[in-house]
């Protein structure tokens, strides 16, 4: 099968690594990719956000499946354009991608579908925002309505800071004031063909920049999968997954289908386990980063078959994907000053030594080869992934590999999966 993957991050590198593990190997190309991806598959200098350019390429090169990694091409209508030309695509149309792109749209869908989520008020003015903040009380949760590259959400005890955040984002549209939800977070990915869903194994993401969940929110500094503590909370991973399918995923997919905007692609359920039960914090319309880096290495079922079945509407005929009993841990190596203003263009060395550590792979997030030298090009630079038969082993491997890598000023969290039994 000929597959085009759109994107240039560690998530896309992990997807490609997953595809290349299959026998027979599918033929994979990536646009635009990064240095790590380019070492594995051909990369194409194509703007992934340009619906016409992507569709022309796919048709001209007889691409059988396009896998859209990031949200930007979805919001730009790349999936719509591909479908209109008869190209199978894993990723929702623009209208369904609003589940991620607009938090008020997501809230309305959840309301209609009866999906449990935090109470929220959509404010269009500062007065409305203030009233809602006082109604919910501290800690305050303020969210930009649209895509905000991970910077749209503020959770704070500080009322003036909450108001300042609301003021800033009100200039770009409306804001959502939400009740504070307390509990562990879970990322559950479900493949959807518009009517049916198939779950992947859950993961947990570390969103804060520093150890012990200190520091600002980031795109994600590390992750692990599976979540052994689900057994105590829900009986088993499968019982947890069954509950999410019945109460969250299927109602959401059915609601979108009933509205004429079927969701074909990856339904990312960002969940929080509160004392009052599970609540949806957010939906994303794509694989999560860095969770993908720990979910896909454990996937035993061939990935391309799953993505193609979702893209072509036949997911209902497939059994649930299988996962290995191994665990996976990923630790993100981030540039100096990430997430504020990352300092980039610096040399990265030591990857060969890192890769020599047993069970380790490296997903490149923001790298480029300049005259034979590997340099950083963004905030999150590498995602070091390790598998093992225990979290202690996978962690030890990931951190041993990280110790081999040099990048001036870089930082990473030292507590990823530290408290997982
Ligand atoms: P979101 O972009 O909606 O996923 O929010 C980013 C992060 O902010 C989440 O992963 C949570 O850690 C936190 N967050 C979002 N909404 C809430 C909430 N209602 N209560 C507590 N924390 C939240
Ligand atoms: N890891 C969070 C996200 O992908 O949105």
């Amino acid at each position: 099968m000929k597959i085009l993957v759109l994107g240039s991050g560690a998530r896309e590198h992990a997807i490609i690594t997953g595809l290349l593990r299959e026998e027979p190997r599918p033929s994979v190309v990536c646009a635009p990719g990064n240095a790590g991806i380019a070492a594995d598959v051909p990369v194409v200098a194509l703007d992934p956000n340009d619906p016409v350019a992507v569709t022309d390429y796919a048709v001209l090169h007889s691409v059988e499946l396009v896998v859209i990694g990031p949200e930007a091409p979805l919001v730009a209508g790349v999936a719509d354009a591909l479908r209109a030309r008869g190209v199978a695509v894993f990723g929702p149309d623009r209208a369904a991608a609003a589940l991620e792109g607009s938090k008020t749209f997501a809230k309305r869908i959840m309301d209609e579908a009866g999906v449990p989520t935090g109470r929220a008020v959509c404010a269009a003015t500062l007065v409305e925002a203030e009233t809602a903040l006082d109604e919910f009380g501290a800690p305050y949760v303020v969210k930009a309505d649209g895509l905000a590259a991970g910077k749209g959400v503020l959770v704070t005890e500080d009322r003036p800071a909450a108001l300042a955040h609301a003021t800033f984002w009100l200039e770009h549209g409306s804001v959502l004031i939400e009740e504070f939800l307390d509990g562990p977070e879970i990322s559950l990915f479900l493949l959807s063909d518009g009517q049916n869903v198939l779950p992947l194994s859950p993961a947990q993401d570390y969103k804060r920049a520093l150890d012990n969940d200190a520091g600002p929110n980031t795109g994600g500094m590390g992750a692990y999968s599976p979540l052994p503590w689900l057994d105590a909370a829900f009986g088993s991973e499968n019982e947890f997954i069954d509950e999410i399918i019945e109460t969250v995923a299927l109602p959401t997919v059915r609601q979108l289908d009933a509205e004429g905007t079927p969701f074909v692609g990856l339904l990312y359920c960002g969940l929080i386990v509160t004392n009052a039960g599970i609540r949806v914090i957010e939906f994303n319309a794509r694989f999560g980063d860095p969770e993908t880096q720990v979910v896909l290495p454990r996937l035993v079922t061939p990935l391309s078959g799953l993505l193609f079945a979702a893209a072509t509407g036949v997911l209902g005929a497939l059994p649930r994907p299988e996962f290995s009993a191994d665990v996976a841990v990923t630790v993100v190596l981030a540039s100096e000053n990430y997430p504020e203003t990352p300092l980039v263009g610096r040399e990265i060395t030591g990857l060969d030594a890192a890769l020599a550590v047993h069970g380790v792979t490296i997903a490149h997030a923001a790298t480029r080869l300049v005259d034979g030298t590997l340099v950083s090009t963004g905030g999150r630079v590498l995602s070091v992934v390790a598998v093992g038969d225990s979290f202690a082993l996978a962690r030890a491997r990931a951190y041993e590999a990280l110790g081999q890598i040099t990048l001036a000023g870089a930082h990473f969290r030292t507590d990823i999966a530290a408290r997982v039994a």
Side-chain angles (χ1 to χ4, degrees):
M1 186 173 358
K2 182 153 192 190
I3 304 174
L4 168 64
V5 177
L6 297 181
S8 61
R11 162 186 46 214
E12 289 75 27
H13 198 181
I15 291 170
I16 290 165
T17 303
L19 293 170
L20 296 181
R21 273 198 288 126
E22 293 177 21
E23 286 293 344
R25 257 189 179 204
S27 156
V28 181
V29 295
C30 182
N34 58 38
I37 292 172
D40 293 343
V41 298
V43 294
V44 194
L46 192 65
D47 177 0
N49 299 325
D50 180 341
V52 175
V54 171
T55 307
D56 283 350
Y57 178 91
V59 170
L60 186 66
H61 293 87
S62 307
V63 169
E64 293 165 86
L65 174 67
V66 178
V67 180
I68 300 182
E71 59 273 31
L74 303 172
V75 173
V78 171
D80 307 58
L82 287 161
R83 278 194 188 96
R85 298 272 294 274
V87 181
V89 49
F90 184 81
D93 282 354
R94 185 196 338 228
L99 203 57
E100 168 166 1
S102 164
K103 291 193 186 285
T104 49
F105 176 80
K107 283 287 183 197
R108 183 183 68 71
I109 294 292
M110 285 190 269
D111 264 3
E112 310 262 352
V115 170
T117 184
R119 285 180 301 124
V121 169
C122 179
T125 66
L126 197 56
V127 173
E128 284 172 22
E130 242 180 310
T131 309
L133 285 174
D134 292 335
E135 184 195 321
F136 289 127
Y140 304 103
V141 181
V142 182
K143 301 186 175 188
D145 180 31
L147 286 179
K151 299 196 171 116
V153 178
L154 182 70
V155 181
T156 179
E157 298 274 350
D158 181 348
R159 192 173 179 278
L163 270 182
H165 192 74
T167 307
F168 177 82
W169 285 105
L170 278 168
E171 280 167 28
H172 300 78
S174 51
V175 298
L176 219 67
I177 310 294
E178 194 172 86
E179 73 174 308
F180 177 76
L181 301 169
D182 197 16
E185 288 182 43
I186 300 173
S187 302
L188 183 67
F189 301 161
L190 297 108
L191 309 160
S192 170
D193 67 3
Q195 271 87 40
N196 309 288
V197 297
L198 281 183
L200 302 183
S201 186
Q204 191 167 49
D205 178 17
Y206 290 72
K207 287 219 164 74
R208 300 285 185 147
L210 307 174
D211 281 5
N212 300 313
D213 295 329
N217 258 322
T218 70
M221 293 298 289
Y224 66 91
S225 173
L227 313 182
W229 49 271
L230 283 178
D231 293 354
F234 296 92
S236 68
E237 176 177 307
N238 270 332
E239 284 171 74
F240 164 77
I241 288 173
D242 289 344
E243 179 176 338
I244 301 305
I245 288 178
E246 288 312 313
T247 62
V248 175
L250 277 179
T252 301
V253 163
R254 286 186 183 137
Q255 182 65 30
L256 287 165
D257 191 41
E259 296 192 8
T261 53
F263 187 96
V264 177
L266 200 285
L267 180 65
Y268 168 138
C269 300
L271 307 163
I272 194 153
V273 185
T274 74
N275 288 335
I278 293 172
R279 301 283 182 273
V280 174
I281 284 216
E282 64 165 345
F283 285 123
N284 292 316
R286 40 126 191 121
F287 280 101
D289 190 344
E291 298 97 311
T292 302
Q293 289 91 296
V294 290
V295 172
L296 294 187
R298 302 184 48 241
L299 178 66
V300 175
T301 311
L303 177 61
S304 66
L306 293 170
L307 301 180
F308 190 71
T312 54
V314 295
L315 218 46
L318 299 187
R320 280 194 188 178
E322 285 177 41
F323 285 83
S324 84
D326 271 353
V327 309
V329 170
T330 188
V331 183
V332 170
L333 183 73
S335 292
E336 181 173 358
N337 256 343
Y338 175 77
E340 286 85 7
T341 42
L343 302 172
V344 303
R346 293 183 175 169
E347 183 176 0
I348 308 156
T349 62
L351 293 203
D352 287 342
L355 286 167
V357 178
H358 191 74
V360 166
T361 53
I362 296 177
H364 288 231
T367 62
R368 185 166 39 188
L369 220 41
V370 179
D371 298 331
T373 300
L374 190 68
V375 299
S376 57
T377 60
R380 293 190 292 174
V381 180
L382 299 169
S383 195
V384 175
V385 184
V387 295
D389 61 9
S390 71
F391 280 103
L393 182 59
R395 252 176 69 73
R397 288 171 168 173
Y399 284 107
E400 186 188 341
L402 266 162
Q404 307 298 318
I405 301 172
T406 58
L407 167 62
H411 61 100
F412 56 84
R413 280 183 65 155
T414 67
D415 62 346
I416 304 301
R419 280 175 286 277
V420 189

